[in-house]
Amino acid sequence: MRLTSFTDYTLRTLLHLGSNPGRLVTIQEIADLHSISKNHLMKVVHELGRNGVIETIRGRNGGFRLAHRPEDINIGAVVRQSESDFYMAECFDPAGNPCGLVRNCSLKGVLSNATSAYLAELDRHTLASLLPEPAPRDPSIPVTFHRKEQQAA
């Protein structure tokens, strides 16, 4: 199976947002990071917002961020939302050309099972499971806390 560039950019966008929790990210930032078309990325962001996966904020200091915790974003669901179909062969498309082998063909069943296994694997993962673990704190560097001075009332 091969994902469309739309789904590829969707997943890259979510990975970037998941790696920058709470921070507003811009389309330009992701376009520059991955050297991808800003116009294409605008369509991705629009669709993610329409599906409720991200929250978009308009304006001069606007941007977008995840609308849910990374552990609540299922990768299989995201891929299903962003892909137009999962036709592994022409015989899966109801509008496609009829195949002369349809009565004696086992291939469609095999490909259907392969697609189901592929999607089942994606369903096992959340955005959180794809994010890198934060680097452990170096224990040799002491942690210090500073108290704020209380002002006299």
Side-chain angles (χ1 to χ4, degrees):
M1 293 220 52
R2 183 178 177 140
L3 297 175
T4 61
S5 60
F6 186 87
T7 301
D8 178 25
Y9 298 164
T10 296
L11 294 172
R12 290 186 202 199
T13 297
L14 292 177
L15 287 166
H16 186 73
L17 293 173
S19 298
N20 293 277
R23 184 171 76 76
L24 287 178
V25 173
T26 65
I27 288 172
Q28 189 67 56
E29 178 181 338
I30 294 176
D32 291 345
L33 177 67
H34 296 291
S35 299
I36 58 180
S37 162
K38 187 176 171 184
N39 289 334
H40 198 63
L41 194 54
M42 284 194 293
K43 295 174 188 173
V44 167
V45 169
H46 174 74
E47 193 65 21
L48 284 169
R50 201 173 70 75
N51 290 330
V53 180
I54 65 170
E55 171 186 22
T56 59
I57 291 87
R58 292 181 175 258
R60 185 169 188 247
N61 295 316
F64 50 95
R65 61 182 164 226
L66 294 176
H68 307 280
R69 298 177 316 150
E71 51 271 12
D72 295 333
I73 299 174
N74 181 272
I75 298 302
V78 168
V79 169
R80 282 181 184 84
Q81 287 175 342
S82 64
E83 286 290 317
S84 59
D85 64 63
F86 290 96
Y87 300 152
M88 292 282 288
E90 190 174 18
C91 58
F92 284 86
D93 185 351
N97 292 328
C99 178
L101 301 174
V102 81
R103 291 182 187 202
N104 298 320
C105 182
S106 303
L107 181 61
K108 188 172 181 177
V110 170
L111 292 176
S112 179
N113 290 340
T115 301
S116 295
Y118 173 78
L119 292 170
E121 179 62 24
L122 293 175
D123 287 337
R124 292 181 50 237
H125 298 278
T126 65
L127 179 58
S129 70
L130 302 179
L131 296 173
E133 292 289 323
R137 191 183 80 70
D138 184 349
S140 67
I141 301 172
V143 176
T144 57
F145 298 95
H146 301 279
R147 283 196 172 157
K148 289 185 176 181
E149 297 289 328
Q150 290 185 345
Q151 292 180 337

